[in-house]
Amino acid sequence: MTGAGARPFVIAVDGPSAAGKGTLARRLAAHYGFAFLETGLLYRAVGWRLLAGGQDPADPKAAVAAATQITMADLDDAALRREDVAQAASKVAAIPEVRRQLLGLQRDFAARPTLPDGRPAPGIVLDGRDIGTVVCPDADVKIFVTASVEERARRRYKELLERGENAIYSRVLQDMKDRDNRDSGRVVSPMVPAADALVIDSTALDADAAFAAAVELVDERRGRVD
Ligand code: CDP
């Protein structure tokens, strides 16, 4: 068992937008009593800071200046969930110096994870795009959750309607394709499954089946380090 003082057990959950990685990551963290870090919020916080200040998210100088200001305390803002903030996030995320700034925050938290009440956690689940490849290449478990872009756009569209936002499916699909292209096509830390990741395609697999597959892998790895 990973005891107090031992290296935290790290689970990396990567994948494109609306593939179900957030749901899976959150559920895994609750199941094992681990901390949870949604790393996309860091990029969203940088994007939001720029939008709120009337600046261009694609401007590297402004984006790097904003990234140096970000702390974990910025991640609770409800505005971060907005679609325009998601688009801005994927623009700042393509800037190498922004990624470098945010890397330190992510690695520090992963090395000493804490639960929301401040207690140290025996492990951590991080979700993002490059956790298994760049942020925590030595993660104990790596999972890459994916689904077809049409299915992901359908899910996001439904989510937006449920939140009472105005949404048009064709627009949501196009935005999703644009973001996929930016995330997969960027030179630094492009979104790719780590070579040793378990790939879960959630197009035909429901959330419970995805969770069961992940738990089986985590239990097997935890057994091995016990
Ligand atoms: O919630 P959703 O999957 O739509 O997005 P997110 O995880 O909040 O990420 C927003 C944007 O941040 C992504 O489109 C990526 O461009 C960027 N991101 C990244 O580059 N690396 C990460 N580890 C996490 C997010």
Side-chain angles (χ1 to χ4, degrees):
M1 208 61 194
T2 314
R7 190 180 72 84
F9 190 92
V10 177
I11 305 177
V13 182
D14 289 302
S17 188
K21 65 181 188 308
T23 307
L24 177 64
R26 203 178 295 275
R27 220 167 139 182
L28 286 171
H31 181 77
Y32 291 105
F34 287 1
F36 172 47
L37 180 62
E38 201 181 336
T39 64
L41 289 177
L42 292 164
Y43 296 90
R44 286 172 180 261
V46 177
W48 173 228
R49 202 169 260 265
L50 293 164
L51 292 183
Q55 289 173 298
D56 178 5
D59 173 359
K61 245 181 123 174
V64 172
T68 59
Q69 314 268 306
I70 299 302
T71 68
M72 292 293 175
D74 294 314
L75 308 188
D76 293 329
D77 191 337
L80 302 187
R81 304 284 168 190
R82 286 172 18 183
E83 279 304 288
D84 58 336
V85 176
Q87 292 292 335
S90 75
K91 290 178 185 158
V92 305
I95 301 167
E97 183 58 21
V98 168
R99 302 200 71 84
R100 212 183 59 75
Q101 281 292 335
L102 300 181
L103 188 60
L105 280 178
Q106 296 170 78
R107 286 198 175 146
D108 286 350
F109 191 72
R112 280 172 298 279
T114 50
L115 297 168
D117 65 7
R119 278 183 301 133
I124 176 164
V125 186
L126 298 99
D127 95 34
R129 302 288 186 287
D130 62 340
I131 308 304
T133 50
V134 175
V135 179
C136 301
D138 299 328
D140 299 279
V141 172
K142 299 180 186 178
I143 299 168
F144 192 89
V145 189
T146 187
S148 73
V149 70
E150 290 79 12
E151 174 60 22
R152 291 187 286 117
R154 261 194 297 279
R155 291 179 194 166
R156 183 52 50 90
Y157 173 68
K158 199 168 149 252
E159 216 177 278
L160 290 171
L161 293 186
E162 280 167 7
R163 280 206 317 237
E165 289 190 37
N166 254 332
I168 302 166
Y169 174 76
S170 58
R171 181 72 200 278
V172 174
L173 178 63
Q174 191 54 51
D175 283 355
M176 188 124 337
K177 287 181 178 168
D178 290 348
R179 200 136 70 88
D180 280 359
N181 287 338
R182 270 200 296 275
D183 289 351
S184 306
R186 67 181 174 226
V187 180
V188 278
S189 307
M191 176 179 63
V192 281
D196 49 351
L198 167 73
V199 177
I200 296 179
D201 187 334
S202 74
T203 311
L205 207 65
D206 68 19
D208 287 343
F211 179 66
V215 164
E216 194 182 329
L217 178 62
V218 175
D219 285 349
E220 181 205 312
R221 296 277 162 85
R222 288 190 97 198
R224 201 184 295 164
V225 296
D226 275 356

